[in-house]
Amino acid sequence: MNIKKALMVLFALWMFGVLAGCEINTNNLLENKAISSIDLECKNQCTLSDGTPFIHREFKEEAELKLFTDAIQKAEKMPGILHYDVIFKMRVTFEDRTSKMFYLNISNTTDLQTGLLIEQSKSETGYQISSKISERLRETI
């Protein structure tokens, strides 16, 4: 009888570990809402660089929205208070017509880089975007 209980406990712990390991690394910056468009506005640092890509650009294509959604959801919170210059001001508009403002820092360089995402209303907290997703964003932008 004790062996059965021990096996059940081990099975339950194993299942917990499997389910916890399968969890996707996401934050709640998008508040579980679907994105309908992304508006980027070139700001301070962007306008100072050579080859400014644009002043304002809207993204509505499904593949582009998926890329931005992945970048935001998978961005990892960074420790400490940040000091940074803004490259892009980003408005995320959701399907329910609400919106949320962010700062997005993706440099126009082919060097390996990580991106920086900052929720405008909490500008002291940053989120790091992986180098792989940052590269895809740089190519899209």
Side-chain angles (χ1 to χ4, degrees):
M1 190 68 145
N2 287 337
I3 292 175
K4 257 186 165 178
K5 286 183 183 178
L7 287 174
M8 287 179 68
V9 168
L10 284 174
F11 179 75
L13 289 172
W14 176 77
M15 285 300 295
F16 177 77
V18 167
L19 293 175
C22 292
E23 183 178 319
I24 296 173
N25 179 28
T26 61
N27 53 52
N28 198 27
L29 291 172
L30 295 179
E31 302 168 5
N32 299 317
K33 296 180 182 182
I35 297 175
S36 63
S37 69
I38 299 282
D39 289 301
L40 287 184
E41 181 182 343
C42 191
K43 296 308 276 179
N44 307 336
Q45 287 302 110
C46 178
T47 57
L48 296 176
S49 67
D50 291 335
T52 299
F54 52 83
I55 300 301
H56 177 264
R57 184 168 176 198
E58 182 176 35
F59 299 87
K60 285 189 161 190
E61 297 296 322
E62 185 177 339
E64 295 169 336
L65 296 179
K66 179 170 180 2
L67 174 59
F68 279 97
T69 298
D70 285 349
I72 295 168
Q73 287 180 332
K74 294 178 181 177
E76 296 181 14
K77 188 174 182 178
M78 299 170 66
I81 295 175
L82 302 176
H83 301 283
Y84 55 90
D85 290 319
V86 175
I87 298 177
F88 296 104
K89 186 174 174 183
M90 179 171 72
R91 176 186 300 275
V92 175
T93 303
F94 301 106
E95 288 181 351
D96 67 1
R97 297 188 180 169
T98 61
S99 64
K100 198 169 189 179
M101 298 300 297
F102 293 91
Y103 298 123
L104 175 66
N105 285 358
I106 299 290
S107 297
N108 189 17
T109 177
T110 56
D111 295 338
L112 188 63
Q113 64 174 314
T114 58
L116 176 63
L117 178 71
I118 301 104
E119 189 175 357
Q120 190 174 2
S121 65
K122 298 175 185 165
S123 61
E124 71 283 347
T125 303
Y127 294 83
Q128 185 174 13
I129 300 171
S130 74
S131 57
K132 181 180 175 182
I133 294 176
S134 293
E135 175 62 20
R136 290 175 46 217
L137 281 171
R138 185 191 64 76
E139 290 170 357
T140 299
I141 294 171

